């Protein structure tokens, strides 16, 4: 899978895509056009960090520090997870300012 | 926890366990300025006087959200034919639902679209009937529709809604699929849904004019596969293939009564939009009973839940939990029995005759269309 995001890119949730608590199933879902995607804890942790300001590298560093995990691993997981969502047009990216 | 009387049971009395619905199709009106010959509305259209109120929809949306529904698809007919559409949308958002608006784009002005933005529409899905004015206007039966749709698409983008293009393909336009993808991309769509006509109801009246050929089905598959590679990360292509030419049937609704429900203009609740084509089935109404009770306890929703009701060859098939025996309405239409294996399945004893009939229709002697119209009886 060719990655669709580089470390310096800034990922964000575009209009029409939002995180929402599913109170009936007690999970968090990503609401998007015609899709509601169930998120696991990792997916939720990543998407909750997207603020449209910080780059993927910034966010993976923050998550690595918070969860005391190897940054290379977090960075690779994040790249693959976000690439899947970019393919589905649920996450957009912009270049560094 | 409310008391649940008896254990829900399928059509043969086997116990079933209802899950929770994710999505609801709200067909808020059957009125429509277009007359597409493959309309998915039932043959018996609901008249304006029988439509439930915006307040009723608000109650239904709250019940749906309590039941686990996350997304509502507000459709019709043309939802814009209801003057209180913005109010209906606001009720859906207040209930916490994600709101998809499925529209022809006809009859909604730019000002009104801005009202719908304020009311909370999350996503707009615009139907296109062709890639140029002549074809679009002929298929929709509405002169001038093309220009209105192009203007509408521009407003959608200007306001900033995510846009999906909804393209129904059939024998008369399948060769134009590459241009349809280009058009959707040019309009700034994030997604395009390419759906081959499903031959129920109105479309069945037009089989001989709309049934694609096998070569067209193969062509469309190739264009979709190539398009997905080329447009990766730019535009999503969702594709509903021509199932008369498939090996296995489509997993209709992801399984009967499993993840979705449909509420019609008068409040009738259906397991799928075509379910009224099963003549013996009785459907309940949100005016009489809560959505939760209808979902969990009604005979219509429980009839084909699970896999125990399935006849052979489905019962011993390893795909029975993949495609759920196919489409019940198609089984009704083609086998005369809603319980039968979907006859488009290559394992159905009726398959050969279905393919033969599809090929005869595809070789169609006619291009003339029977349009969807409300009868003028009263």
């Amino acid at each position: 899978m060719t990655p669709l995001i580089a470390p310096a890119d800034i990922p964000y949730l575009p209009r029409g895509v939002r995180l929402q608590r599913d109170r009936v199933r007690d999970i968090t879902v990503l609401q998007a056009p015609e899709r509601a995607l169930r998120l696991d804890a990792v997916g939720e942790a990543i998407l909750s960090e997207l603020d449209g300001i910080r780059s993927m590298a910034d966010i993976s560093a923050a998550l690595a520090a918070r969860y005391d995990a190897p940054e290379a691993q977090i960075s690779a997981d994040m790249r693959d997870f976000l690439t899947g969502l970019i393919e589905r047009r649920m996450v957009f990216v912009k270049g560094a300012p | 926890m409310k008391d649940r009387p008896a254990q829900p049971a399928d059509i043969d009395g086997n116990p079933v366990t209802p899950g929770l619905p994710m999505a609801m199709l709200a067909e808020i009106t059957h009125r429509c300025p277009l007359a597409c010959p493959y309309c998915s509305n039932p043959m018996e259209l609901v008249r304006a006087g029988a439509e439930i109120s915006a307040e009723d929809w608000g109650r239904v949306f709250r019940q749906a959200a309590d039941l686990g529904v996350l997304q509502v698809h507000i459709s019709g007919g043309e939802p814009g034919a209801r003057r209180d559409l913005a109010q209906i949308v606001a009720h859906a958002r207040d209930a916490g639902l994600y709101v998809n608006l499925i529209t022809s784009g006809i009859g909604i002005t730019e000002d009104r679209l801005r009202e719908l933005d304020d009311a909370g529409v999350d996503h707009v899905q615009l139907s296109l009937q062709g890639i140029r004015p002549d074809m679009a206007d002929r298929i929709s039966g509405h002169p001038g529709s093309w220009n209105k749709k192009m203007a509408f698409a521009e407003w959608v983008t200007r306001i900033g809604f995510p846009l999906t293009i909804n393209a129904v393909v059939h024998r008369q336009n399948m060769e134009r699929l590459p241009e349809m993808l280009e058009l959707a991309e040019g309009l700034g769509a994030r997604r395009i849904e390419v759906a081959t006509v499903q031959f129920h109801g109105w479309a069945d009246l037009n089989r001989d004019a709309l049934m694609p050929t096998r070569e067209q089905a193969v062509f469309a598959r190739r264009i979709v596969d190539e398009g997905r590679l080329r447009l990766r990360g730019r535009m999503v292509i969702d594709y509903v293939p021509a199932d008369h030419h498939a090996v296995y049937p489509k997993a209709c609704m992801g399984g009967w009564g499993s993840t979705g429900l449909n509420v019609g203009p008068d409040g009738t609740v259906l397991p799928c939009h075509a379910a009224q084509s099963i003549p013996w089935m009785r459907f309940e109404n949100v005016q009489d009973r809560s959505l939760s009770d209808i979902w969990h306890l009604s005979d219509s929703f429980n009839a084909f839940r699970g896999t125990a009701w399935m006849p052979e060859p489905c019962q011993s098939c390893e795909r029975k939990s993949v495609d759920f025996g196919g489409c019940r309405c198609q089984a009704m239409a083609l086998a005369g029995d809603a319980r039968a294996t979907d006859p488009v399945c290559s394992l159905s004893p009726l398959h050969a005759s279905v393919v033969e009939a599809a090929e005869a229709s595809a070789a169609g002697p006619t291009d003339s269309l029977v349009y969807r119209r409300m009868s003028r009886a009263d």
Side-chain angles (χ1 to χ4, degrees):
Chain A
M1 179 166 71
T2 319
L4 290 171
I5 184 167
D9 288 336
I10 298 165
Y12 65 100
L13 298 181
R15 176 160 175 184
V17 182
R18 50 190 158 87
L19 288 168
Q20 188 178 319
R21 194 66 200 161
D22 176 346
R23 60 184 163 85
V24 174
R25 296 172 187 80
D26 199 26
I27 54 171
T28 298
V29 293
L30 186 65
Q31 291 269 40
E34 300 268 320
R35 295 276 187 282
L37 205 70
R38 290 159 184 263
L39 297 173
D40 60 15
V42 176
E44 186 183 346
I46 293 173
L47 294 179
S48 302
E49 294 293 319
L50 305 195
D51 56 11
I53 298 166
R54 288 176 301 155
S55 68
M56 184 171 72
D58 293 340
I59 295 170
S60 60
L63 289 173
R66 187 184 318 156
Y67 294 103
D68 194 20
E71 192 181 341
Q73 185 61 48
I74 296 230
S75 169
D77 288 352
M78 196 169 163
R79 182 196 61 211
D80 292 348
F81 176 67
L82 290 178
T83 292
L85 293 175
I86 293 164
E87 280 182 333
R88 298 158 86 171
R89 303 240 59 199
M90 293 180 185
V91 166
F92 282 20
V93 291
K94 53 188 177 187
Chain B
M1 190 84 185
K2 268 188 281 179
D3 286 337
R4 295 261 150 77
Q7 162 81 25
D10 73 9
I11 190 170
D12 288 329
N14 304 297
V16 296
T17 311
L20 297 175
M22 299 280 284
M24 169 173 148
L25 176 63
E27 292 184 330
I28 62 173
T29 181
H30 281 158
R31 288 175 284 148
C32 187
L34 305 190
C36 306
Y38 45 70
C39 181
S40 63
N41 285 162
M43 305 290 289
E44 286 287 332
L45 296 167
V46 173
R47 291 176 179 281
E51 291 171 3
I52 61 174
S53 68
E55 287 66 34
D56 289 334
W57 280 110
R59 178 171 47 85
V60 173
F61 293 144
R62 289 188 293 276
Q63 292 180 359
D66 288 343
L67 188 54
V69 169
L70 295 169
Q71 298 214 345
V72 61
H73 311 289
I74 296 184
S75 180
E78 168 49 51
R82 282 197 64 150
R83 305 316 303 172
D84 53 2
L85 173 59
Q87 205 184 329
I88 292 172
V89 166
H91 284 316
R93 273 304 288 265
D94 287 346
L97 300 175
Y98 185 99
V99 179
N100 296 292
L101 178 69
I102 302 177
T103 177
S104 68
I106 310 291
I108 298 181
T109 61
E110 184 172 8
D111 284 348
R112 219 169 148 215
L113 196 56
R114 289 187 188 280
E115 274 174 48
L116 294 171
D117 183 19
D118 294 338
V121 167
D122 285 293
H123 163 233
V124 176
Q125 196 172 124
L126 171 66
S127 66
L128 293 183
Q129 284 75 25
I131 53 146
R132 284 206 318 265
D134 51 350
M135 181 58 125
D137 293 358
R138 190 175 90 81
I139 295 289
S140 67
H142 185 96
S145 69
W146 167 266
N147 291 335
K148 293 176 190 168
K149 282 166 183 279
M150 290 302 108
F152 182 85
E154 203 180 302
W155 304 331
V156 168
T157 321
R158 196 181 299 161
I159 294 172
F161 291 111
L163 173 67
T164 291
I165 293 298
N166 205 346
V168 176
V169 292
H170 46 77
R171 190 174 79 228
Q172 299 191 34
N173 69 3
M174 235 176 212
E175 273 83 11
R176 300 305 183 136
L177 184 53
E179 291 144 279
M180 183 58 90
L181 297 183
E182 271 173 41
L183 174 64
E185 206 194 352
L187 292 172
R190 282 188 208 171
R191 296 173 65 243
I192 181 170
E193 286 189 18
V194 177
T196 310
V197 166
Q198 301 294 305
F199 291 95
H200 310 296
W202 296 95
D204 196 48
L205 300 177
N206 288 289
R207 283 172 61 93
D208 290 346
L210 299 177
M211 182 71 73
T213 65
R214 181 171 293 275
E215 292 70 30
Q216 285 182 317
V218 170
F219 171 78
R221 171 92 262 167
R222 179 169 65 76
I223 296 303
V224 166
D225 288 346
E226 289 172 3
R228 282 178 175 160
L229 282 180
R230 183 169 42 87
L231 297 166
R232 180 172 176 251
R234 301 214 304 273
M235 186 170 76
V236 175
I237 306 175
D238 280 347
Y239 178 47
V240 180
D243 63 356
H244 283 59
H245 302 283
V247 179
Y248 298 117
K250 60 180 181 292
C252 201
M253 302 297 291
W256 183 275
S258 71
T259 54
L261 67 146
N262 179 13
V263 182
D266 61 353
T268 303
V269 187
L270 306 172
C272 96
H273 66 264
Q276 282 160 315
S277 66
I278 302 174
W280 50 263
M281 196 168 263
R282 293 276 167 273
F283 303 100
E284 307 203 29
N285 193 294
V286 292
Q287 305 284 53
D288 307 323
R289 211 173 175 192
S290 75
L291 205 57
S292 172
D293 274 5
I294 296 173
W295 174 262
H296 288 105
L297 303 175
S298 69
D299 290 345
S300 55
F301 274 84
N302 284 321
F304 300 116
R305 278 186 169 139
T307 57
W309 59 270
M310 290 179 186
E312 291 295 346
C314 297
Q315 192 51 250
S316 56
C317 181
E318 60 180 12
R319 291 180 57 88
K320 71 178 171 185
S321 301
V322 177
D323 50 35
F324 308 100
C327 169
R328 297 305 86 223
C329 303
Q330 193 145 269
M332 186 69 232
L334 297 177
D337 178 5
R339 306 168 53 139
T341 296
D342 186 338
V344 304
C345 180
S346 56
L347 301 173
S348 162
L350 295 171
H351 183 246
S353 63
V354 165
V355 170
E356 194 181 330
E359 284 175 358
S361 291
T366 178
D367 276 347
S368 72
L369 301 170
V370 180
Y371 290 97
R372 178 209 110 135
R373 306 268 185 217
M374 279 204 193
S375 67
R376 293 173 197 277
D378 49 358

